[in-house]
Amino acid sequence: MGFVKRNIEMEGYLDSLNTEWRLLSDSEYRHMLQSLNSFMDQGAFSLFEGERAYAAFVERLPLYGYLFSAPEHEYFSANESGGSAVTFGYEIRNLSGVDRERINSIECVISDSEMSFCAAFHHEWESLVPEQFFDLHTGSEN
């Protein structure tokens, strides 16, 4: 049995949004994580938080990409206050909207398939840990 686990709550939520999804294999997850780390380690991105982050994410819907548990990385504030201990990862198609409270309660990162942006959602989004949006296209922090 691999380290990438199913998240039944997430799968039900994606089904309710009519979003196509597929669980990533361990090797696919590792590859996706390497791409994400490469994106984050470049450091040449804009970072938005809170309302601005959520608005930037919604502007890019619908999307084809990945939805996964927040990995350990210095840029993800979700790691500062806990986050999911279970590793999950999905390839998603046609994500056309999200319920803000629900997606934050599940705690995840959503990116496009090219890893040109990603959004981090956390259960403490209204208080300690705001949503985050990392955009590689703009290349300068705002």
Side-chain angles (χ1 to χ4, degrees):
M1 187 149 211
F3 64 87
V4 177
K5 306 296 183 202
R6 293 180 63 191
N7 182 316
I8 301 303
E9 181 183 4
M10 181 62 75
E11 292 173 9
Y13 181 57
L14 292 173
D15 287 343
S16 76
L17 297 172
N18 295 318
T19 299
E20 296 175 43
W21 58 268
R22 181 182 64 81
L23 185 67
L24 295 174
S25 68
D26 289 355
S27 62
E28 289 170 323
Y29 182 88
R30 277 191 213 95
H31 177 73
M32 183 270 311
L33 192 58
Q34 286 174 340
S35 297
L36 176 71
N37 284 334
S38 175
F39 166 94
M40 300 303 285
D41 290 343
Q42 289 178 44
F45 51 77
S46 293
L47 170 61
F48 307 126
E49 294 186 323
E51 293 296 327
R52 194 166 175 202
Y54 185 74
F57 170 72
V58 170
E59 285 176 8
R60 285 154 177 86
L61 298 176
L63 71 83
Y64 161 74
Y66 302 104
L67 185 153
F68 49 96
S69 51
E72 298 263 343
H73 199 286
E74 65 182 298
Y75 288 115
F76 287 119
S77 61
N79 288 312
E80 295 172 11
S81 62
S84 177
V86 176
T87 300
F88 60 86
Y90 296 91
E91 178 181 47
I92 55 173
R93 293 179 185 264
N94 196 34
L95 179 67
S96 58
V98 295
D99 174 299
R100 190 174 187 179
E101 188 170 327
R102 188 148 181 217
I103 200 72
N104 275 292
S105 73
I106 297 172
E107 299 188 341
C108 62
V109 175
I110 301 175
S111 73
D112 65 333
S113 58
E114 294 84 29
M115 292 286 176
S116 65
F117 71 83
C118 69
F121 299 94
H122 191 269
H123 75 276
E124 294 184 0
W125 64 284
E126 294 181 294
S127 58
L128 298 174
V129 184
E131 297 143 326
Q132 297 172 289
F133 185 86
F134 301 87
D135 188 355
L136 191 61
H137 292 299
T138 55
S140 63
E141 201 164 320
N142 291 325

